[in-house]
Amino acid sequence: MAETPCKVAVVGTAQTRYRRIEEQNFPAMIHEAAKGALKDAGISIKDVDAVVFGSSPEYFVGVNYPEKWCVDAAGGYLKPYMRIHTGGTVGISTAAAGYYHIASGLYEVVLAVSGDKLTDGSVQAGLATVSYPLYSRKFSAGAVGGAGLGFREVMNKKGITLKQATRVAVKQRRNALLNPYAHLKIPGINEEMVENSKVISEPLRVLDSCPTSDGAAAMVFASEKRAEEITLNPAWVKAVVACSEPPSYVDRDNIKEPKALLCAVQRAYAQAGITNPREQIDVAEVYDPFSFQEILFAEHMGFALPGKGAELVESGATEITGDIPINPSGGVLSANTIGCSAMARAIEAVLQVRGQAGEHQVKGAKTALAHGWGGTFQFHVVMIFSKEK
């Protein structure tokens, strides 16, 4: 039987402001995030035992082997250094790797940094050519094309309506106005603006969808002993689970019925001792680049009964002031760098349990869930953070 892993905490975080960045190259963005996380933890790069670097396909930043380009910027010079790439989940997979570096007992302090500069590459070319056109046919239309097909299936078979998705979009974009890091901020956002926005992949409209952003994020993980030496306010990692499934299969649909998410959530809850997620999770940061996904994912996370996700949203329960706030940061719908979108979910969860989320802080948050979604719709990663050890 495997030994119980060491207790691990997050002791520092940082994010760049997500936007289309002209004034910095990719290594400069990575350095900004890494330096910010070390400053937040109150330590220097000399205190870091290893560095984990994350980014999406080379297509997205227009440079081959970006981890080599960024080794100095990320703080990896003369240290154990590795790259993680798992599509849209890469940010939280990088965070998970940082956690495992310490939980294994091998290191005491690890810096995890991830990001992408999408304006330097060709995202749609990468997305449209990354998968086999027969085996992953939906994804060959790109993420937006595949999501549009998925939304239509969800509407037909799950009963989720455009009106309900519109409500999610409005909520997320109102939350983004409270988040200084969010990319897409629309003052006065309302349902009519979403409904009248341009259709980009029927039935998805522009304001149902995420922007294309540049940015980087970083997290400092520490062992129990070092965490208590570094800070009086750590965020303890209670669960880390990654699950995947094939991108396409005869009797499966990982957009409408994401079994990998259900698997990841159930295992994470078991690790964290959670038996009633609606009551025991105070806030969730869910990876939803398209509005309808919050409704679908909320059901798979146990926040609503099957078929009742839309009612959860309509009740106001997912608002910042509700009993199960989802994406108080504005979520991926308001900023999507791909390379650190999922790490941003983990960072936002950490900020909530540390009481550092500013205007979008959920009052009294002690336990938070972070989720990443990616690949060709089939990768899911879940992490749970707590104020309590």
Side-chain angles (χ1 to χ4, degrees), residues 101-387:
H101 271 45
I102 292 173
S104 67
L106 191 59
Y107 302 111
E108 295 289 327
V109 179
V110 172
L111 173 64
V113 57
S114 190
D116 272 326
K117 194 168 189 291
L118 301 183
T119 54
D120 284 355
S122 180
V123 176
Q124 292 309 316
L127 292 173
T129 59
V130 72
S131 56
Y132 185 56
L134 295 179
Y135 189 61
S136 305
R137 189 173 302 175
K138 291 177 185 175
F139 205 79
S140 294
V144 175
L149 290 170
F151 190 9
R152 176 56 65 188
E153 290 182 4
V154 167
M155 290 174 70
N156 291 341
K157 298 178 181 178
K158 291 279 191 178
I160 295 175
T161 67
L162 267 175
K163 191 75 174 177
Q164 292 162 341
T166 297
R167 176 142 189 176
V168 172
V170 171
K171 182 204 71 168
Q172 302 286 66
R173 302 199 185 288
R174 283 178 179 163
N175 289 350
L177 294 171
L178 305 175
N179 181 2
Y181 300 106
H183 180 177
L184 195 59
K185 298 186 178 187
I186 307 174
I189 184 71
N190 57 41
E191 292 188 10
E192 184 178 3
M193 292 168 69
V194 176
E195 291 167 349
N196 291 335
S197 63
K198 183 180 178 181
V199 175
I200 54 173
S201 179
E202 204 281 333
L204 283 175
R205 302 151 299 190
V206 168
L207 293 182
D208 285 310
S209 309
C210 61
T212 299
S213 313
D214 299 332
M219 306 174 73
V220 179
F221 291 86
S223 65
E224 181 179 11
K225 178 177 180 293
R226 289 293 284 127
E228 292 174 342
E229 292 171 349
I230 290 170
T231 181
L232 297 175
N233 187 23
W236 297 97
V237 182
K238 306 300 286 187
V240 180
V241 178
C243 288
S244 61
E245 57 184 315
S248 180
Y249 220 75
V250 174
D251 61 344
R252 302 176 195 161
D253 189 324
N254 53 29
I255 299 179
K256 184 174 88 280
E257 295 290 349
K259 293 182 179 179
L261 173 58
L262 190 61
C263 166
V265 165
Q266 290 174 342
R267 292 181 183 181
Y269 289 164
Q271 283 186 14
I274 290 173
T275 55
N276 188 332
R278 179 74 180 267
E279 291 187 1
Q280 292 173 275
I281 300 291
D282 298 312
V283 56
E285 280 286 335
V286 176
Y287 196 111
D288 60 345
F290 306 103
S291 58
F292 72 95
Q293 290 177 303
E294 179 182 309
I295 298 170
L296 188 65
F297 291 165
E299 295 178 14
H300 283 70
M301 290 177 177
F303 302 143
L305 294 173
K308 302 294 183 180
E311 292 180 18
L312 184 77
V313 172
E314 290 174 338
S315 72
T318 62
E319 301 279 353
I320 291 177
T321 54
D323 67 272
I324 181 62
I326 296 179
N327 290 341
S329 67
V332 181
L333 203 60
S334 301
N336 187 20
T337 67
I338 301 179
C340 67
S341 297
M343 181 175 281
R345 310 284 63 76
I347 288 175
E348 290 292 342
V350 166
L351 292 175
Q352 290 289 343
V353 300
R354 297 182 81 185
Q356 298 175 336
E359 289 188 73
H360 60 283
Q361 176 69 47
V362 173
K363 187 176 181 180
K366 294 182 179 180
T367 302
L369 179 149
H371 163 245
W373 171 75
T376 50
F377 303 139
Q378 87 277 31
F379 297 152
H380 290 270
V381 182
V382 173
M383 295 183 75
I384 296 175
F385 302 91
S386 176
K387 194 173 185 66

